[in-house]
Amino acid sequence: MSDPNSSAKQPLAVQLVAGQTYAWCRCSHSKKQPFCDGSHKGTGLMPLIFKANATKEAWLCNCKKTKTAPYCDGTHKTL
């Protein structure tokens, strides 16, 4: 499995809808960051599939180094 590169060094604010399933990009190749568009094929990395438990704004990691995927934990501040 490859180690992902960062898409950017700041998180992205997104609106999540309760009960909806999302695919968070782990490979950083997606053109639809922070979500997967299938660009991971051949990288050995798969998206993280998650379901929103509430309708809310969330900050999703875009540096791909968070310990709380898919949510930002501030790791980008140390890169």
Side-chain angles (χ1 to χ4, degrees), residues 14-79:
V14 298
Q15 188 65 32
L16 300 178
V17 177
Q20 186 167 331
T21 301
Y22 297 90
W24 176 70
C25 173
R26 285 185 176 163
C27 74
S28 78
H29 296 294
S30 175
K31 303 287 188 250
K32 296 182 179 185
Q33 291 295 331
F35 301 110
C36 178
D37 68 1
S39 296
H40 61 275
K41 290 177 178 47
T43 67
L45 296 168
M46 298 296 292
L48 173 70
I49 308 301
F50 72 99
K51 186 179 282 193
N53 59 4
T55 297
K56 64 180 179 180
E57 180 180 69
W59 289 90
L60 298 189
C61 176
N62 212 24
C63 76
K64 311 304 178 192
K65 308 294 186 199
T66 184
K67 303 282 189 274
T68 58
Y71 303 100
C72 175
D73 67 1
T75 298
H76 63 277
K77 295 175 186 175
T78 64
L79 300 177

